[in-house]
Amino acid sequence: MSDHESNMSDDNNISLSISDDDDENDTSEITWNVATPSITSFVEIRRDKLTVVYTGKALSQNDVGGVRANRPVPRNRTLFYFEVRIIDGSEKSRVTIGLADETLALQKQPGWEPRSYGYHGADGRKFHDSQRGDPYAPAFGSGDVVGCGVIYSRQEIFFTRNGLYLGVAFRDVRPSSLFPCVSLHARGEKIEANFGSKPFVADIAGLIKEEEDKLHRARAKIPIDPSWAHDCVCSYMLVMGYKDSFDALVSIPKSTQVHSTVPVAITSDATTAALIRTLEQRSEIRKMMMEGRAHDVLKCLKAQYPQAFDQSEKGCVHRIEFLLLLQQFLELIHQSQFEPSVYFAREHLAPIHFRLDEQDLTLLKDSMSLIAYPNPEHSPVGHLLSPRQRQVVANEVNRFILEHGGCQTKSSLELVFAQTSLCCKYLRSLNCGGEKFVL
């Protein structure tokens, strides 16, 4: 693989990161919600927003003191977990720890109502939509640390006691919009929560690794035809114009490949022929871009595709022309030719700035700001002077050539990634959470 191919940008790729509206704040920002009506008159939340003291008299089932977290459990991860330390209380605590949605009445124990799940300290029973509960684990009390977690991929809730994993408590849980919650119901009871701002007693990192290893082993069992994978990578190299890598891959003897039974995106001989026909040109232009020769690239494109640049005479500017002009300006800055760069900007960029869309105008302003820094490479926008920026523009030039040649602009490899992203997003929606697909 040549040097200019070793720094491939993903700018022209399908986005591999799923964008959601999930609340993705750091778990250290989770606290008990001190806002009414998220607490009852039977508890007091201390200034740290993590410590809770029961202030009631515990005379009836109606004076339970409950608290709920200030936001639901984060969902873009393998699992979520929090712990509660029982600071003061009887040996058989009347503390209940669990998860519930906003409909839970905080004068009741978690697990007594629908959409709530709890582990009761007095008897070790687990509760869900029931005031009787079911046997689950040992009771807990003063001095114990009890944890609650949810594993999204399996839709399971589990608990721990003093670092010991107690097993699955609830299955088929839809954890969407569930909040950590705790209730107290004994005089003088006091608890302190840990939402991840300090190390947990339980080995949650080990549990996360175990879950991820299980998923990895399951994925590894899925058979993939080597020839299909080979064709996918070949299609990427061909579409992106990485000639050296493409030639190396297609030269692999057929005897070392397994016959592919899975169709890839490039199936038409005519389509492949069109891509190969422009491969040499696109490869050379990519090399020119990576060498900082944006001026030569623009000259070459104008000579070969004059009709694409005719619109400049009508008061418009083709985006590829703007990107290449801007890249010429960046190359001058990179060479510390500040005075020539100013003259270049006045002559070529200033006349077209009012024709740019918001995205390109922001890019232009960021580029212009480089002049103000003594060391532009180390400025907040110094990335514009990196080889990666050349790669970004090279990808746009490659797409331009493909579009004007009537060729497809996405490889089968990119389409596979796009489909995988959508499938993972769909599975995460079914599980109401889970780790993002990011590659």
Side-chain angles (χ1 to χ4, degrees):
M1 182 180 294
S2 63
D3 291 340
H4 75 281
E5 296 180 13
S6 62
N7 186 31
M8 293 187 293
S9 167
D10 60 0
D11 182 73
N12 194 39
N13 293 354
I14 300 294
S15 174
L16 304 183
S17 179
I18 303 171
S19 175
D20 293 290
D21 295 329
D22 293 348
D23 186 353
E24 288 308 306
N25 294 330
D26 183 30
T27 54
S28 62
E29 296 182 8
I30 302 180
T31 64
W32 296 125
N33 193 341
V34 298
T36 304
S38 296
I39 60 174
T40 70
S41 58
F42 302 111
V43 294
E44 174 188 329
I45 299 179
R46 295 293 168 82
R47 184 171 296 180
D48 63 3
K49 298 183 182 181
L50 299 173
T51 303
V52 182
V53 179
Y54 183 75
T55 58
K57 297 182 179 180
L59 297 177
S60 71
Q61 289 189 344
N62 296 321
D63 58 359
V64 172
V67 290
R68 182 187 296 122
N70 61 340
R71 65 183 182 87
V73 298
R75 289 178 285 171
N76 284 339
R77 57 196 65 204
T78 302
L79 62 82
F80 170 78
Y81 177 81
F82 73 103
E83 287 180 341
V84 167
R85 182 182 299 275
I86 317 299
I87 300 175
D88 291 319
S90 59
E91 285 189 11
K92 287 193 174 181
S93 170
R94 297 183 70 182
V95 172
T96 302
I97 178 175
L99 297 167
D101 68 7
E102 289 183 296
T103 64
L104 173 67
L106 294 179
Q107 292 82 8
K108 296 184 179 181
Q109 306 275 8
W112 282 10
E113 296 187 343
R115 297 289 297 153
S116 69
Y117 308 85
Y119 171 30
H120 195 197
D123 51 23
R125 297 174 77 84
K126 61 181 182 179
F127 292 79
H128 170 55
D129 195 16
S130 168
Q131 294 190 21
R132 299 183 61 182
D134 298 300
Y136 173 59
F140 59 85
S142 182
D144 289 329
V145 176
V146 184
C148 174
V150 54
I151 301 175
Y152 296 99
S153 62
R154 299 210 302 262
Q155 298 185 331
E156 295 174 348
I157 292 177
F158 68 91
F159 295 92
T160 65
R161 178 175 178 269
N162 298 328
L164 179 65
Y165 175 74
L166 299 177
V168 178
F170 305 102
R171 290 185 166 87
D172 299 322
V173 175
R174 301 285 290 172
S176 178
S177 299
L178 290 182
F179 292 73
C181 56
V182 168
S183 66
L184 298 82
H185 198 205
R187 293 188 181 187
E189 279 186 330
K190 181 179 179 182
I191 63 97
E192 180 186 15
N194 175 16
F195 293 106
S197 59
K198 56 185 178 182
F200 292 118
V201 173
D203 181 17
I204 295 305
L207 184 59
I208 292 174
K209 185 178 185 306
E210 181 181 334
E211 285 300 312
E212 291 175 345
D213 287 346
K214 287 179 182 177
L215 290 173
H216 178 74
R217 288 194 295 270
R219 293 168 186 152
K221 292 180 180 179
I222 300 174
I224 298 178
D225 188 328
S227 181
W228 175 77
H230 173 273
D231 290 347
C232 277
V233 177
C234 276
S235 76
Y236 178 81
M237 299 301 173
L238 178 58
V239 170
M240 294 300 293
Y242 294 114
K243 184 177 182 300
D244 295 345
S245 296
F246 176 75
D247 290 343
L249 284 169
V250 298
S251 67
I252 298 176
K254 290 292 183 180
S255 60
T256 65
Q257 300 180 27
V258 180
H259 176 66
S260 175
T261 57
V262 183
V264 295
I266 299 179
T267 55
S268 167
D269 288 341
T271 302
T272 304
L275 287 166
I276 292 176
R277 196 162 47 243
T278 61
L279 179 58
E280 184 76 39
Q281 176 203 18
R282 290 184 290 118
S283 178
E284 287 302 316
I285 285 181
R286 185 175 287 276
K287 289 178 182 178
M288 291 163 63
M289 278 302 310
M290 297 310 296
E291 292 169 358
R293 297 162 56 195
H295 171 75
D296 293 334
V297 172
L298 181 57
K299 183 178 179 181
C300 177
L301 294 181
K302 283 187 171 182
Q304 188 153 1
Y305 306 99
Q307 70 284 359
F309 298 93
D310 287 345
Q311 56 186 322
S312 59
E313 299 176 358
K314 304 173 184 178
C316 302
V317 60
H318 197 289
R319 184 168 189 267
I320 205 68
E321 182 174 4
F322 160 69
L323 291 175
L324 288 169
L325 288 172
L326 184 63
Q327 190 60 37
Q328 292 178 57
F329 168 81
L330 293 173
E331 298 297 346
L332 290 171
I333 296 291
H334 184 66
Q335 297 164 14
S336 298
Q337 298 186 36
F338 299 110
E339 188 172 343
S341 70
V342 172
Y343 287 120
F344 183 89
R346 286 176 180 173
E347 181 179 354
H348 298 285
L349 295 173
I352 64 173
H353 78 276
F354 60 90
R355 306 174 192 168
L356 304 176
D357 60 23
E358 185 175 349
Q359 178 184 356
D360 286 341
L361 187 58
T362 299
L363 177 60
L364 176 61
K365 289 179 179 178
D366 288 345
S367 301
M368 291 296 107
S369 69
L370 287 164
I371 299 174
Y373 293 96
N375 298 301
E377 291 86 354
H378 303 292
S379 69
V381 287
H383 62 277
L384 294 173
L385 300 177
S386 71
R388 181 179 176 84
Q389 180 62 23
R390 291 176 178 173
Q391 190 74 35
V392 168
V393 181
N395 288 343
E396 291 294 334
V397 171
N398 183 74
R399 183 188 291 126
F400 169 86
I401 297 173
L402 291 176
E403 288 175 348
H404 284 80
C407 299
Q408 66 186 65
T409 59
K410 295 295 181 186
S411 67
S412 55
L413 182 63
E414 294 170 284
L415 297 176
V416 167
F417 283 157
Q419 181 68 18
T420 303
S421 296
L422 291 174
C423 289
C424 287
K425 186 173 183 179
Y426 178 67
L427 289 174
R428 289 182 60 248
S429 70
L430 291 179
N431 296 335
C432 296
E435 194 171 11
K436 280 186 176 182
F437 172 64
V438 180
L439 185 63

